[in-house]
Amino acid sequence: MAKQCAEIAFAHTTQFHSEPAEKLAARVLAIAPRNFRNGGRVYFTSGGSEATETAIKLARQYFLEGKEPARYRVVARRQSYHGSTLGAMAVSGNVARRSPYAPLIPEWGHVAPCFCYHCPFDKHYPECHVACAEDLESYLSANEASSVAAFVFEPVVGATLGAAAAVDGYTGRIGEICRKHGILLIADEVMTGMGRTGKPFASEHWDLEPDIILTGKGIASGYAPLGAVLVSRRIVEAFERGTSAFMHGFTYQAHPVATAAGNAVFDYLEAHKLFERVEPAGALLRKALSELGSHPHVGEVRGLGLLQGVEFVRDKVTGEPFPKEASVAEKIRLAALEKGVLVYPGQGCVDGIRGDHVLLAPPFIVSAEECGLIAYALRYAVDRVFPS
Ligand SMILES: Cc1ncc(COP(=O)(O)O)c(C=O)c1O
């Protein structure tokens, strides 16, 4: 970053390309699903919310380029988070984060999440035949599919549901439904992208080829504000056949110093083979946490790779949550901190208001001993918050 600052700290993208941005784009596309390689492009932003905004506008303009001007709605899922700006809030289904701004944001449609522990249909996998995916089909059939431009979802729901991963069969069916209705599929991998779940992008666990992938967070690992919109070949080609100009932009997009940070992070990830460490480290963490699962107030330990969540319940048999005012997740956070472990607390996983969970997302270099420490701190926290 210092070297890049000394060479050239900033050049506006209306007139200039920069070497670190070009290089990082090529590297990110090389680890993305097949349909992004050979002809995909990357739009760098300063974070995840800007990436979501960009994808919403990109989807809209894609249909203008293709002479389908009626399409503009971006359908999403309840119990989701896609960012804090107004467009991103419009698609986010996170009740607490969304509700204060309800008058300011359009409602383009939300369908059920894929969340087996509190299945919105009270069904059981796999006998359910993935009813949550069918919910998109029913919604589109009943609600003017011809005005829908895209569907956006988190392959593993992070902050809102505490690491709830899609079940096998879900993403494939969602892809089919999107294709059938001629709408774009956007995978929000701001939290799950760049190796967090054990594959470069979580979509790759299910061989999913979304049309757009959003990423952020780990892409520059906190050294600089950076997000990215990965745009697949078919979208790029539609723009090339049309105006060739995306009517959108941020002054600091594809920032040379931020993308230099992204390259430095990538260098480190490659040199130390860190992507490869996630799956075994995730298994170690899961093993260390397994003993916690038998606690009467631990409802579920879930997640994928190094994105794990623990949900706390009042009644283990029914999955009934604690009342919101009990602030269980926050109390767990404070108690775990006493043992030097930071967790990300969340509330609302059951119905947007009730339901307490914590997210665990340790660095890719986490050791077996540290996984043990995380499990010990959580056990301590659980015993402290729920004294017998
Ligand atoms: C899935 C997801 N999408 C979008 C965002 C928004 O990203 P940012 O906070 O970088 O704007 C987040 C942030 O937590 C996220 O988890």
Side-chain angles (χ1 to χ4, degrees):
M1 290 171 74
K3 188 166 166 272
Q4 185 60 45
C5 275
E7 280 171 14
I8 179 148
F10 175 74
H12 203 290
T13 52
T14 47
Q15 295 180 44
F16 299 98
H17 291 229
S18 78
E19 190 265 330
E22 298 283 341
K23 183 174 169 187
L24 184 60
R27 296 173 93 177
V28 170
L29 289 170
I31 58 167
R34 263 185 317 274
N35 58 326
F36 290 84
R37 300 184 216 150
N38 303 322
R41 293 207 194 179
V42 182
Y43 199 102
F44 288 111
T45 61
S46 300
S49 301
E50 281 188 5
T52 304
E53 296 295 328
T54 301
I56 292 171
K57 290 172 74 176
L58 194 66
R60 166 63 180 159
Q61 197 180 327
Y62 169 83
F63 286 106
L64 291 179
E65 301 289 338
K67 308 277 179 285
E68 287 191 74
R71 292 192 185 266
Y72 67 96
R73 288 161 56 211
V74 179
V75 174
R77 304 193 304 184
R78 292 188 285 280
Q79 300 285 71
S80 60
Y81 182 62
H82 301 292
S84 63
T85 48
L86 290 178
M89 266 285 116
V91 286
S92 296
N94 184 306
V95 174
R97 293 181 183 180
R98 182 187 166 90
S99 57
Y101 309 106
L104 307 181
I105 50 186
E107 172 56 63
W108 291 320
H110 288 86
V111 301
C114 178
F115 187 23
C116 294
Y117 187 62
H118 295 286
C119 174
F121 305 98
D122 277 332
K123 295 193 173 191
H124 295 281
Y125 180 78
E127 296 81 48
C128 62
H129 300 297
V130 210
C132 46
E134 293 312 319
D135 198 43
L136 177 62
E137 172 63 42
S138 320
Y139 177 84
L140 291 172
S141 305
N143 293 279
E144 268 187 85
S146 59
S147 68
V148 176
F151 174 67
V152 60
F153 83 113
E154 296 164 82
V156 183
V157 183
T160 320
L161 294 184
V167 294
D168 287 345
Y170 177 83
T171 60
R173 181 68 186 124
I174 289 288
E176 272 172 23
I177 296 167
C178 289
R179 274 194 301 281
K180 175 183 158 196
H181 291 277
I183 69 182
L184 299 179
L185 177 58
I186 305 172
D188 180 347
E189 299 227 24
V190 169
M191 202 176 263
T192 56
M194 298 307 293
R196 172 59 51 196
T197 67
K199 301 266 186 198
F201 293 96
S203 297
E204 293 167 311
H205 285 287
W206 305 280
D207 290 326
L208 182 68
E209 296 191 354
D211 297 293
I212 297 174
I213 296 178
L214 315 178
T215 195
K217 298 194 192 278
I219 189 168
S221 218
Y223 289 92
L226 188 63
V229 181
L230 281 66
V231 185
S232 64
R233 191 171 50 236
R234 118 170 141 106
I235 299 185
V236 172
E237 286 170 356
F239 274 77
E240 283 171 352
R241 282 193 300 273
T243 61
S244 283
F246 180 27
M247 196 50 70
H248 179 65
F250 302 106
T251 299
Y252 291 136
Q253 69 192 30
H255 194 279
V257 180
T259 49
N263 278 304
V265 166
F266 221 115
D267 290 344
Y268 196 93
L269 286 167
E270 280 179 352
H272 298 268
K273 298 192 169 36
L274 292 195
F275 280 155
E276 292 162 36
R277 288 177 71 152
V278 175
E279 206 184 305
L284 282 176
L285 178 60
R286 195 54 180 262
K287 187 157 176 274
L289 292 172
S290 60
E291 184 249 354
L292 206 61
S294 57
H295 190 280
H297 291 302
V298 172
E300 192 179 48
V301 179
R302 56 180 171 251
L304 204 52
L306 283 175
L307 185 61
Q308 296 287 327
V310 182
E311 183 177 334
F312 305 98
V313 290
R314 177 139 81 179
D315 184 326
K316 205 176 171 91
V317 177
T318 61
E320 187 202 338
F322 286 99
K324 181 177 167 54
E325 311 68 60
S327 297
V328 166
E330 176 60 8
K331 286 180 185 155
I332 294 280
R333 179 185 79 85
L334 289 170
L337 193 56
E338 285 176 32
K339 295 293 170 196
V341 170
L342 278 165
V343 301
Y344 179 172
Q347 271 197 313
C349 60
V350 174
D351 55 10
I353 311 285
R354 294 173 312 148
D356 291 84
H357 64 259
V358 295
L359 262 187
L360 306 168
F364 297 0
I365 53 164
V366 70
S367 65
E369 196 186 343
E370 288 159 339
C371 288
L373 170 65
I374 295 169
Y376 162 74
L378 271 175
R379 181 72 216 199
Y380 168 83
V382 164
D383 287 343
R384 198 158 150 72
V385 175
F386 311 116
S388 48

